[in-house]
């Protein structure tokens, strides 16, 4: 294999494989993708939708990052799942295809990112996906009439569909939110949507397999002769050069593969797509970051930028599980080996049954009190009080972000939290993701999940040594801003109301068991204590290489170029300056599609038809 390429893509995950596909549409452009994980495109644990939760904490698939002890969660260390396979986190997530609000993306542009408003990103949400309409029975049962077919993607690499296997709970979820005064207000892809709905999942209904960056963007073009992929290969650091005029350029990467260390050279650019934790790590290992952090680990400072590794945001999640009525099928039933065998047989023989599905009942909601007076005025007073509490009064970044977020939270037509429902027990006090999904209680449950859409708490990711093999320290600093407790607490207080409202209430045992045992939601203070003891992550970290003007805390500009380094971009969720309202998968795909166009524009690369020939795969 050659040692020199036009573009070196570090990370064969969600964003990296989008770039690999789009940049190699032109036959003269040589691209190499370097992925630390293995090629598991045909692994049934990945391809079968219903096995998604079995991937977490398995070192064959998951990096399994663990945070430092969280002061505001009574010292809890929160496990984060990050994909360690070709396809990245799109290959191990729980398949939710949910779109952000127009307001949450417009907030990016308000920070000085020209071209990164809803109008600039919305076409790429369509470009990456193909919408597959449901059957008439499913459309009726799951109430999918909210979908505006005219704005859906029609030819993208990633498939979205509704599950054809479903029980009565999805429809009951939608009806319950109607009865609570929060009917769905529109297609999320329109940029404005509130209320309860059943969402699309990243599943290809032709095969009923997971649709992810690996089998969607890479596999169909794997035979392009100008596309090279090295799996099970670690990038140790970037190769940087200083010119006679003191200009710093990224010229390649140092890799460790098959017990050897070698240099790969990029003629045009290095594209860092290693994810929110490891893109930051590689910048710091290469001498780009805060001098205080770098010198602590005896790393020479090449480019000073104190914002590298800052601005970490995540959707912190809590919830409650309620015992269901006897006879209602739930995922908890797979404790019976015969149920598992029957489900596998149905999937293998006819692509039917529960393994064709995943979680799909979601809702975006404002603080309910804000929907009417005097509650709306009270919420405005709450925001006024707590927005004065900026963690660092001199941090222009936080002040600018908070102003944009405040305008969203003050609007009762925008959601401040998102909820989900699953027919399974969940353990929000667990310390590993495997234990979150463990069927350790003998009863059967339905779970309600609640997550902050726009947390104000900001955390960090920084290296722990000068070796790439030592994972960085992840500190989300959950609930360090007091408004996060106030908002999530008010949303969590509403969960018993949902559970007691028909028709969902008909599926729950009156006075039935709850998880965690002894949960007390009787007062706001009690709810806050519940949160401190029962928070997990939605696995949506972002923001550590933020796209913003440098003086506001930016690491990359609006073309995703790293400040102070020529020939280096970051293209993954770490560039999000403000976390999107809901699941971030769709925005990662859209961002990467837009990034590909920006790169092509900068190098005047035109798409060309090309013959398919042999390709290079090492690993």
């Amino acid at each position: 294999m050659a040692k020199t390429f036009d573009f070196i893509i570090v990370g064969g995950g969600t964003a990296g494989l989008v770039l690999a596909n789009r940049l190699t549409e032109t036959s003269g452009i040589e691209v190499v993708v370097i992925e630390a994980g293995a090629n598991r495109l045909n692994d049934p644990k990945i391809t079968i939708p219903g096995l998604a939760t079995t991937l977490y904490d398995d070192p064959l698939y998951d990096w399994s990052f663990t945070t430092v002890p969280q002061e505001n969660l009574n010292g809890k260390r929160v496990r984060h799942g990050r994909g360690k396979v070709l396809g990245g986190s799109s290959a191990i997530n729980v398949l939710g295809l949910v779109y952000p609000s127009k307001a949450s993306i417009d907030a990016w542009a308000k920070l000085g990112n020209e071209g990164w408003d809803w109008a600039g990103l919305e076409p790429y949400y369509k470009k990456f996906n193909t919408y597959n309409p449901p059957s008439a029975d499913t459309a009726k049962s799951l109430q999918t009439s909210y979908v505006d077919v005219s704005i859906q993607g029609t030819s993208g690499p990633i498939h979205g569909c509704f599950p054809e296997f479903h029980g009565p709970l999805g429809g009951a979820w939608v009806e319950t939110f109607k009865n609570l005064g929060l009917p769905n207000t529109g297609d999320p892809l329109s940029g404005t949507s509130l209320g309860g709905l059943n969402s699309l999942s990243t599943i290809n209904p032709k095969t009923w397999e997971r649709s992810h960056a690996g089998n969607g963007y890479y596999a169909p073009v794997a035979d392009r002769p100008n596309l090279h992929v090295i799996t099970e290969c670690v990038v140790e650091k970037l190769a940087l050069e200083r010119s006679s005029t003191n200009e710093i350029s990224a010229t390649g990467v140092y890799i460790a593969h098959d017990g050897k260390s070698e240099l790969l050279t990029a003629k045009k650019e290095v594209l860092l797509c290693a994810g929110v934790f490891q893109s930051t790590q590689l910048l710091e290992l290469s001498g780009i970051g805060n001098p205080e952090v770098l010198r602590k680990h005896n790393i020479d400072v090449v480019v000073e930028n104190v914002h590298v590794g800052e601005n970490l945001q995540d959707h912190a999640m809590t919830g409650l599980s309620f015992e269901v009525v006897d006879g209602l099928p739930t995922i908890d039933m797979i404790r019976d080996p015969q149920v598992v065998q029957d489900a596998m047989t149905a999937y293998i023989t006819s692509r039917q049954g529960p393994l064709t599905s995943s979680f799909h009942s979601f809702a975006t909601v404002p603080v309910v009190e804000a929907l009417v007076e005097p509650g709306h005025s009270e919420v405005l007073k709450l925001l006024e009080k707590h927005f004065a509490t900026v963690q660092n009064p001199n941090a222009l970044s936080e002040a600018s972000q908070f102003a944009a977020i405040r305008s969203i939270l003050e609007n009762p037509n925008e959601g401040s939290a998102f909820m989900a429902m699953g027919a399974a027990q969940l353990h929000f006090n667990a310390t590993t993701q495997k234990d979150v999904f463990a069927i350790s209680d003998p009863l059967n449950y339905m779970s309600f999940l609640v997550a902050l859409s726009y947390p104000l708490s900001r955390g960090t990711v920084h290296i722990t040594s000068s070796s790439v093999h030592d994972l960085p320290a992840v500190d989300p600093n959950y609930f360090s801003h007091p408004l996060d407790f106030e908002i999530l607490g008010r949303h969590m207080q509403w969960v018993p109301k949902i559970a007691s409202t028909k028709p969902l209430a008909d599926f729950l045992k009156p006075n039935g068991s709850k998880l965690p045992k002894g949960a007390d939601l009787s007062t706001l203070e009690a709810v806050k204590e519940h949160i401190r003891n029962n928070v997990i992550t939605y696995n949506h970290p972002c923001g550590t290489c933020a796209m913003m003007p440098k003086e506001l805390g930016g690491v990359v500009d609006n073309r995703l170029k790293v400040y102070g380094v020529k020939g280096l971009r970051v293209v993954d969720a770490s560039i999000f300056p403000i976390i999107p309202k809901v699941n971030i998968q769709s925005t990662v795909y859209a961002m990467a599609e837009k990034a590909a166009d920006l790169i092509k524009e900068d190098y005047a690369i035109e798409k060309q038809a090309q013959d398919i020939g042999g390709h290079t795969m090492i690993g």
Side-chain angles (χ1 to χ4, degrees), residues 280-539:
T280 295
Q281 180 189 28
L282 284 170
L283 288 177
E284 292 184 338
L285 290 175
S286 307
I288 302 169
N290 186 332
E292 185 177 333
V293 173
L294 303 183
R295 288 169 182 150
K296 180 180 178 181
H297 300 292
N298 298 314
I299 295 173
D300 292 336
V301 179
V302 180
V303 176
E304 179 177 341
N305 188 333
V306 297
H307 310 305
V308 172
E310 303 293 311
N311 196 50
L312 175 62
Q313 300 159 59
D314 185 33
H315 287 139
M317 173 174 61
T318 188
L320 200 62
S321 299
F322 295 81
E323 185 183 0
V324 299
V325 296
D326 294 339
L328 180 69
T330 72
I331 296 172
D332 294 336
M333 295 171 65
I334 65 172
R335 64 170 68 87
D336 181 346
Q338 186 60 51
V339 172
V340 176
Q341 183 60 50
D342 291 345
M344 288 297 296
T345 299
Y347 185 86
I348 292 169
T349 60
S350 59
R351 288 298 195 265
Q352 294 180 347
L355 294 180
T356 62
S357 183
S358 187
F359 295 98
H360 54 266
S361 296
F362 290 89
T364 53
V365 294
V367 175
V368 176
E369 295 97 316
L371 295 173
V372 295
E373 290 293 358
H376 183 56
S377 296
E378 292 301 315
V379 170
L380 292 180
K381 290 178 182 177
L382 179 71
L383 297 178
E384 177 66 32
K385 173 185 176 183
H386 287 286
F387 270 106
T389 309
V390 179
Q391 290 171 308
N392 179 358
N394 298 315
L396 289 174
S397 171
E398 288 181 0
S400 301
Q401 289 183 43
F402 289 2
I405 293 172
R406 181 173 181 172
S407 67
I408 297 173
L409 297 180
E410 288 178 342
N411 185 349
N413 295 315
E414 288 287 340
S416 53
F418 61 104
M419 298 182 170
M421 179 271 294
Q425 58 184 269
L426 295 177
H427 302 277
F428 298 95
N429 56 358
T431 55
T432 69
Q433 299 206 325
K434 181 179 180 180
D435 288 339
V436 168
F437 298 104
I439 304 174
S440 54
D441 190 279
L443 304 177
N444 295 339
Y445 292 86
M446 176 196 306
S447 295
F448 298 92
L449 300 72
V450 189
L452 279 172
S453 287
Y454 304 106
L456 299 178
S457 302
R458 297 291 182 267
T460 62
V461 176
H462 290 301
I463 54 175
T464 56
S465 80
S466 60
S467 171
V468 72
H469 301 289
D470 295 325
L471 295 182
V474 176
D475 183 7
N477 209 13
Y478 290 123
F479 299 97
S480 54
H481 196 291
L483 190 58
D484 289 353
F485 267 130
E486 298 292 339
I487 294 178
L488 187 59
R490 284 165 170 78
H491 283 292
M492 189 62 198
Q493 278 188 301
W494 203 47
V495 167
K497 178 68 173 176
I498 300 172
S500 62
T501 301
K502 290 179 178 291
L504 271 181
D506 295 333
F507 297 99
L508 301 177
K509 276 189 177 181
N511 301 313
S513 177
K514 297 181 181 65
L515 299 176
K517 303 290 187 182
D520 180 5
L521 306 183
S522 59
T523 66
L524 182 58
E525 289 307 310
V527 171
K528 290 178 183 178
E529 188 59 27
H530 173 87
I531 293 171
R532 289 186 185 97
N533 293 308
N534 295 281
V535 159
I536 56 176
T537 174
Y538 234 118
N539 291 311

Side-chain angles (χ1 to χ4, degrees), residues 108-124:
W108 294 7
K110 291 179 180 179
L111 297 175
N113 296 309
E114 183 180 354
W116 289 89
D117 56 4
W118 180 257
L121 198 57
E122 184 265 348
Y124 296 101

Side-chain angles (χ1 to χ4, degrees), residues 67-76 78 474-478:
T67 71
V68 302
Q70 294 299 288
E71 179 181 352
N72 299 297
L73 301 181
N74 294 328
K76 182 177 181 178
V78 179
V474 176
D475 183 7
N477 209 13
Y478 290 123

Side-chain angles (χ1 to χ4, degrees), residues 227-295:
L227 174 57
H228 314 272
V229 175
I230 311 175
T231 57
E232 300 177 76
C233 175
V234 175
V235 173
E236 297 176 310
K237 66 177 183 177
L238 309 176
L240 302 176
E241 291 186 359
R242 188 185 300 272
S243 72
S244 59
T245 58
N246 216 31
E247 182 179 68
I248 304 299
S249 298
T251 58
V253 298
Y254 294 96
I255 65 171
H257 184 64
D258 287 340
K260 298 180 295 182
S261 181
E262 55 185 305
L263 171 66
L264 300 184
T265 302
K267 291 188 288 186
K268 289 183 169 63
E269 291 191 14
V270 175
L271 305 172
L272 201 49
C273 309
V276 65
F277 301 147
Q278 286 152 300
S279 285
T280 295
Q281 180 189 28
L282 284 170
L283 288 177
E284 292 184 338
L285 290 175
S286 307
I288 302 169
N290 186 332
E292 185 177 333
V293 173
L294 303 183
R295 288 169 182 150

Side-chain angles (χ1 to χ4, degrees), residues 14 26 55 60 63 115 220 275 284 332 338 354 427 438 453 472 523 570 576:
T14 310
T26 299
L55 299 166
L60 294 179
W63 284 97
E284 292 184 338
D332 294 336
Q338 186 60 51
H427 302 277
S453 287
T523 66
V570 180
F576 296 176

Side-chain angles (χ1 to χ4, degrees), residues 105 167 198 265 379 389 562 611:
I105 302 303
N198 289 292
T265 302
V379 170
T389 309
V562 175
D611 295 330

